[in-house]
């Protein structure tokens, strides 16, 4: 029986090693949810790194990891500390991540790290090749594994290989700067189907292929040696019911069941009849436009002083890649900005920004989403942005206003939100005012449309559509062979 293999940098598991004891829990992220039906059914497996380096494991513990992850139908790819340093923190996050998000000034192209990127892609390929058989389907995820499709296809041509990029694909003018650009494109073209969040990313990819490799492209199909590679857009959705139901349950919580955060947020809302909460949630990443957002909030308080003491920006910044220096710099900048603005405007009874630098349990996330009158999401570049979708899914009374950057992939499907250019403080400040003053009827009619769309195109649907499209490439391959 043919099987499906999912490959991503990390396994959908939280693996912890404490006092030489392993603790393994399934993770609850969007990708894991989307793949649930594929992964849990049949004989599918998931291949990725467990999060623990070879150096941390004795030979016995290493066996224990394999046995424990195999119970979750996963196979772990062994990586050592140097791999993680050079392939993950190095090449993936210092070269590809900034380049693909248009942060050329942050991109470092280090030859040794590139070598490590190639070696680690080969390590993933070795594990895939040890598990894949003719007729199987392999779905590879994201920018850490751009070379993997070719490494599999070259050795196992009779497999269906799909690839999905979770971050933006940049325009040709940006991509052409990359020193090993042809090799990277050939790596991706090992896939039979390449998926992107938006049509624009798809177009940028096709343009790079045409201009750098001089390949023939017909509509969304690339003729590549004796194969056809299909390219398409699949905007990733969320587990809509999970967020919606959690918010419904949240609304019914008794005083005893409420979290401390829930109570504090309620206190704020009850402090004055027109008090408003503006929420932002993201990983602390320079692509997310956090300093811009804080400065725009300052501009708003300066321009519209009537709203001082009436609004509060609740900002959750989740620690991310904190050993990379650009992220450390961003952390210092964010801390300083929050301190300066709170110092400038705070009164004895009001702090304008509540800033949390940590990750929160799911229940607290729901506390935040359901308490917020406005979600302020201002990335400078973002492949999709699931937070925007999750906020709308939790609006069980249909009220609330989403302010969303037009640089987020999600903005294409969410035109009923207030869309802003994240570099314009003026636009953001005016959008905040508009959001706060928006009549409830208008909020509801906008959110009603958004919710219907998000419920229909959920993460399960996204995975289903991708697989359907990948399956169809088999027919094209069979027709070529038959000729
Ligand atoms: C990449 C692309 C693309 C956040 N804080 C907490 C928490 N979260 C959850 C959110 C959401 C997820 O993390 C973040 O997803 P995003 O899409 O917003 O952003 P990235 O992490 O940058 O994801 C992005 C995505 O891949 C999918 O393709 O949309 O563009 O950059 O689900 O809910 N969850 C919990 N506590 C937190 O503190 N439990």
């Amino acid at each position: 029986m043919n099987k499906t293999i999912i490959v991503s940098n990390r396994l959908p598991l939280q693996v912890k090693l404490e006092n030489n004891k392993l603790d393994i829990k399934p993770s609850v992220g969007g990708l894991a949810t989307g793949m649930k039906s594929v992964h849990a059914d049949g004989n599918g497996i998931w291949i990725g790194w467990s999060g623990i380096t070879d150096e941390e494991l004795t030979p016995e513990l290493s066996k224990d990891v394999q046995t424990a992850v195999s119970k979750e139908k996963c196979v772990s790819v062994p990586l050592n500390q140097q791999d993680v340093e050079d392939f993950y923190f190095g090449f993936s996050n210092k070269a590809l991540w900034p380049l693909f998000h248009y942060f050329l000034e942050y991109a470092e192209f280090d030859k040794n790290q590139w070598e490590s990127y190639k070696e680690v892609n080969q390590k993933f390929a070795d594990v895939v090749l040890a598990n894949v058989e003719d007729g199987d389907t392999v779905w590879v995820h994201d920018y850490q594994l751009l070379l993997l499709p070719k490494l599999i296809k070259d050795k196992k041509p009779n497999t269906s290989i799909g690839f999905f990029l979770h971050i933006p694909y940049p325009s040709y003018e940006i991509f052409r700067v990359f020193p090993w650009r042809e090799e990277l494109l050939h790596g991706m073209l090992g896939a039979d189907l390449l998926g992107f969040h938006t049509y624009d990313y798809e177009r940028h990819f096709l343009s790079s292929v045409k201009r750098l490799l001089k390949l023939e492209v017909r509509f969304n199909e690339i003729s590549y040696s004796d194969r056809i590679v299909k390219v398409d857009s699949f905007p990733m959705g969320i587990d809509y019911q999970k967020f919606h139901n959690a918010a419904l349950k949240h609304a019914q919580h008794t005083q005893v069941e409420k979290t401390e955060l829930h109570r504090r947020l309620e206190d704020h809302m009850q402090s004055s009849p027109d008090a408003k909460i503006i929420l932002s949630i993201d990983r602390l990443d320079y692509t997310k436009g956090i300093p811009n957002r804080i400065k725009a909030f300052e501009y708003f308080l300066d321009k519209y002083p009537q709203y001082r003491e009436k609004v509060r920006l609740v900002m959750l910044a989740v620690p991310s890649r904190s050993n990379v220096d650009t992220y450390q710099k961003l952390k210092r900048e964010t801390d300083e900005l929050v301190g300066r603005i709170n110092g400038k405007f705070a009164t004895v009874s009001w702090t304008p920004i509540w800033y949390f630098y940590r990750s929160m349990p799911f229940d607290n996330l729901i506390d935040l989403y359901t308490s917020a009158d406005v979600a302020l999401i201002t990335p400078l570049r973002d492949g999709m942005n699931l937070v925007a979708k999750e906020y709308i899914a939790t609006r069980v009374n249909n009220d609330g206003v989403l302010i969303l950057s037009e640089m987020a992939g999600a903005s294409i499907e969410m035109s009923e939100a207030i869309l802003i250019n994240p570099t314009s403080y003026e636009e953001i400040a005016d959008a905040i005012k508009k959001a706060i003053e928006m009549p409830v009827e208008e909020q509801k009619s906008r959110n009603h449309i958004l919710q219907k769309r998000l419920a229909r195109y959920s993460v399960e649907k996204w995975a289903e559509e991708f697989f359907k499209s990948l399956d169809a490439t088999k027919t094209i391959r069979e027709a070529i062979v038959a000729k």
Side-chain angles (χ1 to χ4, degrees), residues 3 33 35 82 117 180 228 254 299 302 324 408 413 424 476:
K3 63 180 175 300
T33 312
M35 298 298 149
Q82 199 63 46
Y117 185 81
W180 305 280
I228 298 286
T254 60
Y299 185 79
D302 273 326
V324 176
E413 297 159 83
S424 165
I476 305 177

Side-chain angles (χ1 to χ4, degrees), residues 28 30 97 101 142 164-168 197 236 238 243 281-283 285 287-288 316 318 321 358-362 365 369 382-388 390:
V28 287
W97 178 270
H101 285 89
D142 228 359
F164 187 82
L165 186 69
H166 289 262
I167 64 175
H197 280 304
M236 188 173 174
I238 56 163
F243 283 90
I281 297 183
D282 3 51
R283 279 183 307 100
D285 196 298
T287 59
K288 302 287 182 180
L316 173 62
V318 180
R321 304 169 198 168
R358 70 185 83 131
S359 72
M360 289 196 180
F362 182 72
L365 203 68
Y369 280 143
D382 213 335
M384 172 55 70
N385 194 296
L386 300 180
V387 170
E390 291 166 7

Side-chain angles (χ1 to χ4, degrees), residues 398-415:
N398 283 136
D399 57 352
V401 183
L402 171 66
I403 301 176
L404 179 61
S405 162
E406 59 191 42
M407 308 296 173
S411 67
I412 313 270
E413 297 159 83
M414 303 186 88
S415 54

Side-chain angles (χ1 to χ4, degrees), residues 15 21 60 103-104 120 146 186 241 254 259 286 394 418 460 467:
V15 183
K21 277 213 160 139
E60 294 84 69
F103 280 81
L104 259 185
V120 172
L146 292 167
H186 284 300
Q241 286 313 330
T254 60
T259 63
Y286 52 81
T394 61
I418 302 182
E460 290 88 350
F467 273 115

Side-chain angles (χ1 to χ4, degrees), residues 49 126 221 243:
W49 180 48
D126 293 343
E221 292 183 348
F243 283 90

Side-chain angles (χ1 to χ4, degrees), residues 36-49:
K36 213 159 46 196
S37 53
V38 192
H39 183 222
D41 296 352
N43 53 350
I45 54 169
W46 196 314
I47 293 175
W49 180 48

